[in-house]
Amino acid sequence: MKLTGAQIIMECLLEQGVDTVFGYPGGAVLNIYDALYEYQDRIRHIRTAHEQGAAHAADGYARSSGKTGVCIATSGPGATNLVTGIATAYMDSIPVVAITGNVTRDLLGLDSFQEVDITGITMPVTKHNYIVKDIRDLASILREAFQIANSGRKGPVLVDIPKDITAQTCAYEKQPPLPLAECGLPPQERLAQALELLNRAERPFVYCGGGVVLSEASEALSAFVEKLDAPVSCSLMCQGGFDQASPRYMGMLGMHGTKTAALAIQNCDLFIAVGTRFSDRVLCNAGLFARHCPILQIDIDSAEFNKNIEVDLRLRGDAKEILNTLQGMLETKDHRAWMADVASWKQAYPLRQVSPSQDGVTPQEVLETLNRLTGSQAIIATEVGQHQMWAAQFYTYRTPRQFISSGGLGTMGFGLGAAIGAQVANPGKRVVNIAGDGSFHMNCNELSTLAANQIPVIELVFNNTVLGMVRQWQKLFYENRFSQTDLDHTTDFPLLAKAFGVKALVIEKKADIEPVLREALAGGVPVLIDCRIDRDLNVLPMVPAGESVENPILEM
């Protein structure tokens, strides 16, 4: 049958199982939006307040569901407004397909109104991108885009489509999604070398990154560490990739990792890294990281081997397949003395937060109460800053895809859009976005998206009137010269929320915490909580830049 280019886009999205797209209309995508009107009973469209919010929503949809997120923007500024969201997805290996419109082909390269070379701009932050020059290639390009986004190390793909392509007609035939590229297992001799290291270890340390979540390897990881009898630490991107209620869990490792994890890395005799790229925030000082023991790295991307740190043995492949294979080869281990050491450290060095002000509210109390009231089952999105670390430290993540946060790029303004995407993908779950007041000022316009669509996200703003994380560094390393980090804003957050049509609540003292959270959770409507905390609360532990991850600061 013959369809317009815009209709072919819709049919290709349906082929891929897409039920929701996020975007913002404009001149170059008018034909696409006309087709969305025609297909509105099969494809839901969420119009965000800003294209960056659409990109983050597609990202949050993907992270929380395991499906591919899709966003749409018009040419020029619409397309460039997606770039930060695309880069965020790229840094964290999230499958997103971004569809942009462009000027008609005869106007390309002429500095036409709202023309921009978006494929050139996004080349460094996409797995691949396309500009469609022939309508006969449109369907195959879209199918390839989804295949590439989900094969191997996942990531975003952009498809730029000139407006005249969306208006032309072409024959279309429905096809099943293309098969994903198989990664396969490492050579048998490498698996044998890994087994030898595992058998020899008496104090193994298993460290997991976002690849565990992306490869659906959580169950395989759990079975592997039970057989190995090892403790586990997770990166920021792997929160929930291992059940944090397990006695094996030590907390995070790195700049804001736990003292338990720091002591464990000092004393382990084998470091096993699964699905992690050894970020500088984890290594802190690469020359001092796990220098006394062999390192075994499991990763799907060979470019990550020996990039940030030299490792002793590399296993390239899908984390789930490799863990299942190693677990099948391994005899059950007994490291009870080592596990007893870990348990004693956990007891000796718990995470504990005290407010500098009498009856002041601490994020620990708020998040632990939220965890109790939600039974550890909520999806928690975050912005970037102190609140992000507190959300990772003080909520107990039991399952993968519960924690939605910008790790690699560290994008302030990410969380609210991502929470929208997560809530749309998971209508039966409670979604809470943990924000700081600095990040909230970057995306508060998306409250209008919550209200217009009655998306029941809870926006929990830790309001300390400062840019907390930057201020913390200024306190430690810049002799309290607080340059541009004291916000002292006059924004009335509850009044602003009400202006957008969102219910507003306030936490000012300890006694407010539970009743306010209960009210927010019970409503089934979008809610903003203005949670007022002391500006001198810090994220601890903390490893100063360039120092060893083994020696975190516990007090300041």
Side-chain angles (χ1 to χ4, degrees):
M1 58 180 171
K2 279 204 164 187
L3 299 176
T4 66
Q7 291 171 323
I8 289 172
I9 294 170
M10 298 301 113
E11 292 291 339
C12 287
L13 293 178
L14 291 172
E15 284 179 6
Q16 303 296 327
V18 174
D19 55 20
T20 305
V21 298
F22 304 88
Y24 203 95
V29 289
L30 276 173
N31 295 326
I32 296 175
Y33 273 80
D34 190 57
L36 278 166
Y37 183 88
E38 180 185 350
Y39 284 74
Q40 62 184 294
D41 59 332
R42 287 170 283 175
I43 300 175
R44 182 184 185 187
H45 180 275
I46 302 290
R47 187 190 66 246
T48 52
H50 191 282
E51 290 91 352
Q52 184 170 322
H56 293 327
D59 183 319
Y61 182 97
R63 291 184 199 236
S64 66
S65 68
K67 301 177 182 178
T68 305
V70 179
C71 55
I72 300 173
T74 193
S75 62
T80 57
N81 282 343
L82 293 179
V83 173
T84 297
I86 292 170
T88 300
Y90 180 77
M91 289 290 283
D92 292 341
S93 305
I94 307 302
V96 170
V97 171
I99 298 172
T100 55
N102 213 328
V103 298
T104 56
R105 286 173 295 172
D106 60 308
L107 294 177
L108 288 172
L110 302 179
D111 294 330
S112 304
F113 176 69
Q114 290 194 332
E115 180 200 358
V116 72
D117 178 12
I118 193 62
T119 54
I121 289 169
T122 59
M123 189 175 293
V125 292
T126 52
K127 278 191 74 177
H128 195 64
N129 62 30
Y130 301 85
I131 180 167
V132 182
K133 294 290 187 71
D134 190 324
I135 190 173
R136 291 171 295 183
D137 299 328
L138 176 59
S140 62
I141 284 175
L142 286 167
R143 291 164 183 149
E144 283 182 14
F146 279 87
Q147 181 192 43
I148 290 170
N150 283 281
S151 291
R153 182 175 180 173
K154 302 175 191 293
V157 178
L158 179 134
V159 182
D160 191 38
I161 309 172
K163 186 176 182 179
D164 54 320
I165 295 288
T166 62
Q168 292 178 347
T169 59
C170 183
Y172 163 82
E173 289 185 11
K174 184 177 180 179
Q175 292 185 15
L178 295 171
L180 301 182
E182 295 289 336
C183 188
L185 286 169
Q188 192 61 40
E189 62 267 24
R190 284 191 177 269
L191 291 170
Q193 289 173 336
L195 185 62
E196 183 181 348
L197 285 174
L198 295 171
N199 282 330
R200 200 163 59 222
E202 296 181 357
R203 300 182 304 280
F205 183 130
V206 178
Y207 179 68
C208 306
V212 169
V213 175
L214 292 168
S215 63
E216 309 288 352
S218 293
E219 289 186 11
L221 171 65
S222 181
F224 173 74
V225 298
E226 284 297 322
K227 206 166 185 182
L228 183 60
D229 196 20
V232 178
S233 176
C234 290
S235 74
L236 187 70
M237 291 292 92
C238 194
Q239 298 297 291
F242 185 78
D243 184 356
Q244 296 182 357
S246 167
R248 298 189 182 280
Y249 186 63
M250 298 183 288
M252 291 193 295
L253 174 71
M255 182 170 285
H256 296 295
T258 63
K259 179 67 173 177
T260 300
L263 287 166
I265 199 171
Q266 283 182 45
N267 291 278
C268 71
D269 61 2
L270 175 63
F271 189 87
I272 305 153
V274 186
T276 178
R277 59 188 178 85
F278 287 111
S279 157
D280 59 295
R281 289 298 173 102
V282 171
L283 296 177
C284 295
N285 185 322
L288 300 176
F289 187 88
R291 60 199 181 280
H292 60 280
C293 69
I295 298 175
L296 165 62
Q297 185 180 4
I298 299 169
D299 204 276
I300 201 166
D301 186 356
S302 58
E304 294 301 338
F305 293 135
N306 294 336
K307 185 178 83 174
N308 296 328
I309 189 173
E310 292 287 328
V311 301
D312 297 272
L313 182 61
R314 309 179 299 277
L315 297 182
R316 180 181 178 272
D318 179 80
K320 180 179 179 179
E321 291 185 19
I322 292 176
L323 288 172
N324 278 332
T325 300
L326 290 175
Q327 188 261 343
M329 298 166 65
L330 190 65
E331 293 182 4
T332 302
K333 303 298 179 184
D334 183 349
H335 299 131
R336 68 184 69 185
W338 173 231
M339 291 305 301
D341 287 341
V342 170
S344 68
W345 297 330
K346 286 178 69 173
Q347 188 172 11
Y349 299 103
L351 293 172
R352 186 174 291 121
Q353 196 173 50
V354 178
S355 175
S357 55
Q358 187 175 9
D359 199 38
V361 174
T362 66
Q364 181 172 10
E365 293 168 311
V366 174
L367 290 161
E368 288 180 351
T369 303
L370 178 66
N371 180 68
R372 174 169 52 82
L373 295 178
T374 57
S376 302
Q377 296 301 307
I379 294 174
I380 305 295
T382 82
E383 308 295 342
V384 170
Q386 287 181 313
H387 60 276
Q388 178 189 33
M389 296 298 109
W390 292 328
Q393 289 176 328
F394 299 129
Y395 193 94
T396 303
Y397 301 94
R398 304 293 307 274
T399 57
R401 304 194 182 281
Q402 265 191 281
F403 183 76
I404 313 297
S405 193
S406 170
L409 199 63
T411 306
M412 290 180 68
F414 166 81
L416 185 50
I420 290 169
Q423 186 70 83
V424 169
N426 300 272
K429 296 184 179 180
R430 294 317 311 251
V431 177
V432 182
N433 182 47
I434 308 299
D437 46 330
S439 288
F440 178 67
H441 274 102
M442 291 191 174
N443 61 17
C444 60
N445 54 347
E446 295 302 342
L447 291 178
S448 65
T449 308
L450 294 183
N453 296 277
Q454 280 302 288
I455 299 170
V457 166
I458 297 171
E459 174 80 349
L460 174 54
V461 183
F462 285 123
N463 182 2
N464 59 2
T465 70
V466 294
L467 296 177
M469 188 63 87
V470 184
R471 188 178 188 272
Q472 181 171 328
W473 279 63
Q474 289 173 336
K475 184 187 298 185
L476 271 172
F477 310 119
Y478 292 87
E479 299 177 351
N480 293 324
R481 293 192 298 275
F482 298 129
S483 175
Q484 298 302 312
T485 49
D486 289 350
L487 298 176
D488 294 323
H489 47 66
T490 58
T491 309
D492 186 323
F493 290 171
L495 193 61
L496 178 65
K498 290 173 185 175
F500 278 117
V502 170
K503 182 176 179 177
L505 302 169
V506 177
I507 295 175
E508 288 187 285
K509 56 186 183 300
K510 293 180 187 294
D512 297 333
I513 295 172
E514 183 155 342
V516 166
L517 289 177
R518 283 189 180 277
E519 184 176 352
L521 290 164
V525 296
V527 180
L528 177 138
I529 301 173
D530 182 3
C531 182
R532 296 163 188 176
I533 63 172
D534 194 285
R535 61 173 52 187
D536 286 315
L537 283 165
N538 297 303
V539 177
L540 295 169
M542 179 179 179
V543 178
E547 297 297 323
S548 169
V549 72
E550 298 177 3
N551 297 302
I553 296 171
L554 301 182
E555 296 179 358
M556 61 176 288

